[in-house]
Amino acid sequence: MSDFGGWAIDVQLFLWMEQNIASGSRVVELGSGKGTGPLSETYELTSIEHNLQWLGYCPTTSYVHAPLVDGWYDAECVEHALEQSGDYVAVLIDGPPGAFRKGMADYLDIFNKDAIYIVDDAQRPGEQWLMGEMNEWLGYKPVMHNCDKGSFAVYNPLDRGE
């Protein structure tokens, strides 16, 4: 499998998902990109996106437009998308861009604590800060994975050392 191109998840992240999340599972993606296509071939994907240019990029993906409001996505749009996604098993955190990802910390309670959480670009300061908040919310730390583009972190309820 080749690189998905710039502004996409790393191939190693995609391969981790393929090996650990059953094909056909419901996955919520925060931030759409070039990796959305391959993800939608494997999973029932809901992509939450603020940028109108990415909406509809992949015809097999369910897109939800959530404008940026108060430092993160419009929380009402996200909450509605999560309700529509039903029993999602994983959340891929790959948006919104830059410092806006930190805003998710204010809305963690709208998410399912039993889902798998994957934080892309986990080496960046904003993502590190968000993961500190997620550690407290979930009660355990993620498993870090190095990849070609940096790193990604995985919070998997099956991995927590209880």
Side-chain angles (χ1 to χ4, degrees):
M1 178 177 294
S2 65
D3 186 16
F4 298 145
W7 302 102
I9 60 170
D10 196 275
V11 172
Q12 286 108 333
L13 188 158
F14 178 79
L15 293 174
W16 184 93
M17 289 180 70
E18 275 195 325
Q19 293 168 1
N20 293 278
I21 301 172
S23 178
S25 296
R26 292 177 191 249
V27 174
V28 174
E29 174 189 47
L30 300 179
S32 191
K34 292 183 179 179
T36 300
L39 287 170
S40 71
E41 292 172 10
T42 305
Y43 303 107
E44 189 173 323
L45 191 64
T46 299
S47 186
I48 299 170
E49 178 58 53
H50 76 283
N51 186 336
L52 294 172
Q53 292 178 328
W54 283 107
L55 297 179
Y57 173 76
C58 181
T60 58
T61 297
S62 173
Y63 283 91
V64 174
H65 181 239
L68 297 177
V69 177
D70 297 327
W72 194 59
Y73 294 121
D74 181 323
E76 287 183 21
C77 293
V78 174
E79 192 165 19
H80 180 70
L82 294 174
E83 290 168 2
Q84 297 299 333
S85 295
D87 295 328
Y88 59 93
V89 299
V91 177
L92 172 58
I93 303 167
D94 194 24
F100 287 105
R101 278 190 213 177
K102 289 172 60 175
M104 182 178 177
D106 293 332
Y107 301 100
L108 290 171
D109 287 336
I110 67 173
F111 290 91
N112 175 0
K113 278 189 166 183
D114 294 325
I116 295 169
Y117 289 87
I118 304 162
V119 181
D120 193 23
D121 304 310
Q123 76 283 356
R124 298 192 308 201
E127 282 75 356
Q128 289 282 310
W129 183 88
L130 174 60
M131 290 186 314
E133 298 296 306
M134 292 179 73
N135 293 349
E136 188 174 318
W137 175 64
L138 290 168
Y140 64 100
K141 293 182 179 180
V143 174
M144 299 296 292
H145 299 266
N146 291 321
C147 58
D148 292 340
K149 293 183 180 181
S151 64
F152 63 94
V154 177
Y155 291 89
N156 186 342
L158 300 176
D159 290 339
R160 63 181 151 201
E162 296 181 319

